[in-house]
Amino acid sequence: MSLTGRPVLWLSAVLALLAPVAAVVLWDRVRGSRWRQVLGRLALLGMGEMAALVFAFVALNDYAGFVDSWSQAVHFVTGAFGHEKVSAATNSENADASASPDPTAAPGDFRLSTQQAPSPAGHIWRILGDNPPEKWVDTGVTVLGRFDSGPVGEEAYIYLPPQYFGPHGRRDLPMLEEFTGSPGPTDYLVSKLHTPDVVLSGIKSGEIAPMVVVMMRPDAAGGWNTACTDVPNGPQVLTYYTKDLPAGVRQMFGLHPAPELAIGYAEGGYCAAKLALLDPTDFRAAAEMAGTFHPPTDASTRGIFADQNVREQNDLGWRLQNLPVPAVSLLLTTARDDDRASDGHAVAEQWLGLTHPPITSAELVLDHNGHNYPSYEHQLLFDLSWLSGKLPAGGDSHLAAVPSEASLVAGAVGPEATPAA
């Protein structure tokens, strides 16, 4: 039985409910010596505890999409992630050095094999893969870097496309910020979504504009789930993602200011959409995969959204209904059979209905799943191609085909929008 999906969720819920009932029924039926009775009853209690823990993990994974197989679940729980093979664009099969894990990273994060290599400017980069610098003009390269600004900071993978390299290498490339869910490992953007491969393939086919891709978790506050918010009297996380991080990336790679885009899944999708809605001057468009438009209010946020004003200002739905909207483009993606209450199909439909000019919006609807890594990978080429089309002059790219078993629904059409399909 697959780890993801409703059957395993309901089965684990039923077992969690039946386990204490079984303990009560069997409590007086445990026979033998006093010690046998004690051990037997402890076993009944342990069975109930285990069933409850399994249900809690399955329910949390169903919400956040941390893992999508039982073997990954074992690694997630034990922290035993090994070095995963990286996609073809980064070619890490023979690499022999490893990145030092970020102490604030999620289990299994920044474990992909890396090595040192000289940059075009003579600096030393830590790169994924063992392809030599002379090949970067054909494949591009993924670099591991950290960008700090005061008390907030983030380690990230940065994919530089082939157009960055060579004697006529471009420094005016647009930048895409790509977010995982929270606290999904950054590694998965490379090892599961294969972002560098997808971008390289799309650039070569003319479906994606050449761009620099910054791959990261929405965790600049180091374990405090701020939902990409400038916390009053606290870490200025929104400012970090809209201003400080792009400035740090440009400084590290000698890039000129250029338009920016954002994409993410689950809670990272909320952050991506938030960047566009709250900083439309820099971020032209955003794509949200299986996300929500309300800030979370669980314990991980440490109560920052208990303040009604803070909650409303960071509630994207409230902003669409109560504040002037910017001329940005939003792509919402979901699945027709995703019935999650917080970020399922009904939520995406509701959000699409709230968008209105000058926003340009569209909704990509998959037939099945939607909230797992195979779904994110399946749609990534289209999502990035759609975003590319929102760059000046359409990014000189043509729109990729709508993924199989999916449909594109038109939403709001802004005054300067180009057709979504």
Side-chain angles (χ1 to χ4, degrees):
M1 181 181 293
S2 172
L3 177 58
T4 57
R6 285 294 182 266
V8 71
L9 177 64
W10 288 114
L11 177 60
S12 63
V14 170
L15 291 176
L17 291 173
L18 290 179
V21 174
V24 171
V25 172
L26 299 175
W27 190 265
D28 291 327
R29 298 187 181 184
V30 178
R31 305 301 182 192
S33 66
R34 181 176 180 81
W35 282 110
R36 285 179 179 272
Q37 290 179 343
V38 170
L39 292 176
R41 289 168 179 172
L42 285 176
L44 291 174
L45 293 175
M47 180 179 64
E49 293 287 342
M50 183 62 67
L53 288 173
V54 169
F55 170 68
F57 176 80
V58 172
L60 184 62
N61 186 66
D62 185 71
Y63 171 78
F66 298 131
V67 296
D68 51 24
S69 71
W70 290 105
S71 61
Q72 291 169 14
V74 172
H75 290 313
F76 183 87
V77 173
T78 62
F81 281 91
H83 295 309
E84 295 189 51
K85 180 180 177 182
V86 187
S87 56
T90 52
N91 188 24
S92 68
E93 292 181 77
N94 300 315
D96 56 6
S98 300
S100 298
D102 180 348
T104 67
D109 212 2
F110 299 105
R111 301 292 183 87
L112 300 177
S113 298
T114 64
Q115 67 171 4
Q116 292 185 344
S119 74
H123 304 298
I124 299 299
W125 286 348
R126 175 72 75 174
I127 69 166
L128 292 184
D130 61 351
N131 53 328
E134 57 267 22
K135 291 187 178 181
W136 297 349
V137 72
D138 298 315
T139 65
V141 70
T142 300
V143 182
L144 178 62
R146 183 170 183 86
F147 306 93
D148 294 312
S149 178
V152 296
E154 185 96 61
E155 194 162 12
Y157 293 121
I158 305 95
Y159 176 69
L160 301 171
Q163 289 75 13
Y164 177 85
F165 302 99
H168 304 291
R170 291 178 53 185
R171 297 297 181 266
D172 61 343
L173 294 165
M175 187 185 306
L176 171 77
E177 294 188 15
E178 183 183 26
F179 295 98
T180 70
S182 177
T186 313
D187 286 359
Y188 285 6
L189 296 174
V190 178
S191 61
K192 293 187 179 298
L193 271 64
H194 305 288
T195 298
D197 274 352
V198 172
V199 174
L200 177 61
S201 175
I203 291 173
K204 290 183 175 180
S205 67
E207 296 167 315
I208 296 177
M211 62 179 68
V212 173
V213 183
V214 185
M215 296 166 273
M216 58 196 159
R217 294 180 302 139
D219 190 34
W224 180 357
N225 182 11
T226 66
C228 299
T229 300
D230 281 345
V231 180
N233 302 313
Q236 303 297 286
V237 177
L238 178 66
T239 298
Y240 173 80
Y241 287 123
T242 57
K243 306 299 182 185
D244 301 335
L245 174 71
V249 173
R250 292 189 184 106
Q251 180 179 10
M252 181 174 180
F253 299 107
L255 298 169
H256 306 319
E260 297 169 50
L261 307 167
I263 188 173
Y265 61 80
E267 228 168 269
Y270 162 85
C271 286
K274 187 174 181 177
L275 299 189
L277 287 177
L278 274 68
D279 187 8
T281 301
D282 293 319
F283 288 84
R284 302 289 187 91
E288 184 192 64
M289 298 185 281
T292 182
F293 52 94
H294 303 299
T297 56
D298 57 36
S300 68
T301 64
R302 304 185 189 178
I304 60 177
F305 299 113
D307 183 293
Q308 181 177 352
N309 182 60
V310 175
R311 185 173 65 254
E312 288 178 345
Q313 292 298 317
N314 290 277
D315 187 308
L316 306 185
W318 185 91
R319 297 184 68 90
L320 290 176
Q321 293 175 292
N322 295 278
L323 299 177
V325 298
V328 296
S329 299
L330 296 176
L331 176 64
L332 314 178
T333 77
T334 182
R336 209 172 305 279
D337 61 355
D338 189 346
D339 58 357
R340 297 167 187 269
S342 61
D343 51 15
H345 180 56
V347 174
E349 290 284 296
Q350 180 186 4
W351 193 9
L352 186 69
L354 293 177
T355 60
H356 55 90
I359 285 179
T360 301
S361 64
E363 180 187 26
L364 179 69
V365 184
L366 305 177
D367 289 347
H368 305 290
N369 297 319
H371 200 287
N372 56 38
Y373 296 110
S375 295
Y376 304 149
E377 182 187 10
H378 182 58
Q379 66 183 276
L380 187 59
L381 174 61
F382 176 85
D383 294 353
L384 297 183
S385 180
W386 191 92
L387 290 173
S388 292
K390 307 309 173 184
L391 293 168
D396 295 326
S397 61
H398 60 269
L399 186 65
V402 174
S404 60
E405 299 184 348
S407 58
L408 189 64
V409 179
V413 180
E416 298 179 2
T418 55

